[in-house]
Amino acid sequence: MPTEPSTALITNDIVGLGLIAATLALIFWAASGPTPLLKKIFAWVPALLLCYFIPAIYNTAGLIDGHNTALYNPIARDVLLPAALVLLTLSIDLKGVLKLGPKLLVVFCAGTFGIMLGAVVSFQLMSWIHPETVAGDTWSGMAALAGSWIGGGANMVAMREVFGTDATTFGQFAVVDVACASLWMAVLLFLANRATQIDTRNGADTRAIDEMKARISAYEAQNARIPTLTDLMLIVGVALAGVGLAHAIAAPLSAWFKANISWASQFSLDSAFVWVVLLSTLLGLGLSFTRARTLESAGASRLGTVFLYFLIACIGMQMNLLSLLDRPWLFLLGVIWMLTHILVLWTVAKLVRAPLFFFGIGSMGNIGAAASAPVVAAAFHPSLAPVGVLLGTVGYATGTGLAYVTGLILKWMAGA
């Protein structure tokens, strides 16, 4: 619910939802190539990228207020995201994911190390370029940002509590978080559209991914059917029942961990949202071993992908493109930090000849966690979305502990 009066033109969430739905529909209609001009445009500009940036333009122009709305939280984040996780993991080929091999984990760990190293590098460089940027308690804000970029929002808040980050500093780094992570996500979505050409040029080993996609495509071709009303009701029922069950268990479970386990906050186990993500994923994985997997033939993952597109639009509508101008030096710190992460990740991916998908999901599994990682993974291929989910949950589990170590290093560098 809104916490303060909004100055946006559209303040009714139902009207906002209609605008987002109409925008997504128009984008997909245009992407289908009804005219030669549109066909050429969408050969270069992925539809998914527009689903992200057009809502951001709405927010920047004051048409909608991406922060003073329930569309992202709780509707997209707490309902559509877990529903998508259930439907996308319901059809998962777990053996196929495991066959992707150790390279994926190596690249993911390199991404995590790149974020920790990036914090140190950006702090040191900015102390030379513009010392005022890293003066005072900036280091504590960076520790909170490290929690977000290694894990997620719950980890970021945990670091704020651990290091006592000032509310203003925390808010400034929240803007840096959204700006840098959003722009990098947009780049990954753009690159995903050219994954085949990039992997071919780099000589990447894509056999495991190709086999997984071929296996799932063959399964779909053999079992696909026109969904009946019963099929659709079952798909929606399973998804939303799974969401309800996850929330019903997550709240008391997170409260129990917070009250009884001293180290729960280090692994974000005291966060109800983290448990919702974990439980939705586990439920979908469990269903993948039952007859419920046949719902994939009626379009379960397609409906899950629809939920993801609404989620990415709601993530985009939180971004104010003009906010990047408020504290440009702090934004430069974030850019240096992100570039260090990308350089480390690219170097390791190059050394092990990892495909672009491993590079993209190894980064977004950290930076975007379970909220954005499956979106990027699905941009490469819908069947790969569960891989993003799995890596995103690993980020949640490790984010608080590794961000705490990063914060201690930054505190020492700042002489605090």
Side-chain angles (χ1 to χ4, degrees), residues 35-45:
T35 67
L37 177 60
L38 286 174
K39 194 170 184 178
K40 289 180 180 179
I41 291 174
F42 282 91
W44 288 96
V45 181

Side-chain angles (χ1 to χ4, degrees), residues 165-210:
T165 308
D166 175 74
T168 301
T169 302
F170 184 82
Q172 291 166 344
F173 274 97
V175 173
V176 175
D177 180 10
V178 172
C180 293
S182 299
L183 290 175
W184 176 230
M185 182 177 175
V187 171
L188 288 176
L189 294 176
F190 180 80
L191 293 176
N193 207 41
R194 289 155 181 76
T196 302
Q197 300 94 307
I198 294 172
D199 286 335
T200 301
R201 187 167 63 247
N202 293 335
D205 184 1
T206 63
R207 287 174 296 178
I209 296 177
D210 293 339

Side-chain angles (χ1 to χ4, degrees), residues 89-135:
T89 52
L90 175 149
S91 58
I92 190 173
D93 178 8
L94 191 57
K95 291 182 180 179
V97 172
L98 295 176
K99 286 181 180 178
L100 292 177
K103 285 184 182 180
L104 179 59
L105 187 59
V106 169
V107 174
F108 176 77
C109 291
T112 302
F113 174 74
I115 292 168
M116 297 178 71
L117 179 64
V120 175
V121 170
S122 59
F123 187 94
Q124 187 60 57
L125 286 179
M126 289 308 298
S127 69
W128 295 333
I129 298 171
H130 195 259
E132 292 83 356
T133 301
V134 292

Side-chain angles (χ1 to χ4, degrees), residues 31-383:
S32 66
T35 67
L37 177 60
L38 286 174
K39 194 170 184 178
K40 289 180 180 179
I41 291 174
F42 282 91
W44 288 96
V45 181
L48 191 57
L49 195 60
L50 293 182
C51 294
Y52 182 82
F53 264 113
I54 291 180
I57 294 172
Y58 291 162
N59 184 53
T60 303
L63 182 61
I64 58 177
D65 186 342
H67 292 283
N68 246 5
T69 176
L71 289 183
Y72 175 72
N73 183 12
I75 294 174
R77 193 193 74 161
D78 293 344
V79 179
L80 297 184
L81 172 59
L85 297 182
V86 171
L87 295 180
L88 291 169
T89 52
L90 175 149
S91 58
I92 190 173
D93 178 8
L94 191 57
K95 291 182 180 179
V97 172
L98 295 176
K99 286 181 180 178
L100 292 177
K103 285 184 182 180
L104 179 59
L105 187 59
V106 169
V107 174
F108 176 77
C109 291
T112 302
F113 174 74
I115 292 168
M116 297 178 71
L117 179 64
V120 175
V121 170
S122 59
F123 187 94
Q124 187 60 57
L125 286 179
M126 289 308 298
S127 69
W128 295 333
I129 298 171
H130 195 259
E132 292 83 356
T133 301
V134 292
D137 66 345
T138 299
W139 66 269
S140 65
M142 292 180 68
L145 183 55
S148 178
W149 282 358
I150 298 174
N155 308 88
M156 186 177 191
V157 173
M159 287 300 96
R160 177 188 180 181
E161 297 300 322
V162 169
F163 292 111
T165 308
D166 175 74
T168 301
T169 302
F170 184 82
Q172 291 166 344
F173 274 97
V175 173
V176 175
D177 180 10
V178 172
C180 293
S182 299
L183 290 175
W184 176 230
M185 182 177 175
V187 171
L188 288 176
L189 294 176
F190 180 80
L191 293 176
N193 207 41
R194 289 155 181 76
T196 302
Q197 300 94 307
I198 294 172
D199 286 335
T200 301
R201 187 167 63 247
N202 293 335
D205 184 1
T206 63
R207 287 174 296 178
I209 296 177
D210 293 339
E211 288 173 7
M212 182 177 177
K213 290 192 290 189
R215 205 164 40 245
I216 291 176
S217 296
Y219 177 84
E220 290 178 349
Q222 291 176 355
N223 297 279
R225 64 179 187 271
I226 298 174
T228 64
L229 178 59
T230 300
D231 288 327
L232 295 175
M233 290 300 293
L234 282 172
I235 292 172
V236 173
V238 167
L240 296 184
V243 173
L245 181 61
H247 278 277
I249 298 174
L253 191 59
S254 60
W256 184 89
F257 269 90
K258 184 175 183 179
N260 296 282
I261 306 298
S262 60
W263 43 263
S265 61
Q266 297 177 17
F267 297 95
S268 300
L269 297 179
D270 58 347
S271 167
F273 177 69
V274 170
W275 279 109
V276 167
V277 170
L278 289 171
L279 291 170
S280 300
T281 303
L282 290 174
L283 177 61
L285 285 173
L287 290 174
S288 71
F289 293 99
T290 71
R291 291 187 61 186
R293 192 185 181 195
T294 60
L295 291 175
E296 170 58 20
S297 304
S301 66
R302 288 190 181 92
L303 183 58
T305 304
V306 169
F307 291 157
L308 278 184
Y309 274 101
F310 272 95
L311 172 65
I312 192 60
C314 290
I315 293 175
M317 66 185 283
Q318 295 182 93
M319 184 178 178
N320 187 334
L321 300 175
L322 297 180
S323 67
L324 308 184
L325 305 177
D326 290 343
R327 284 196 65 186
W329 290 106
L330 204 58
F331 178 63
L332 177 60
L333 182 147
V335 170
I336 295 172
W337 191 340
M338 187 68 74
L339 288 176
T340 304
H341 159 73
I342 295 169
L343 180 61
V344 171
L345 192 62
W346 179 83
T347 302
V348 173
K350 190 77 172 177
L351 288 174
V352 299
R353 293 179 61 221
L356 183 65
F357 169 69
F358 286 11
F359 172 83
I361 205 59
S363 177
M364 199 49 57
N366 284 287
I367 301 294
S372 302
V375 175
V376 172
F380 286 87
H381 193 276
S383 65

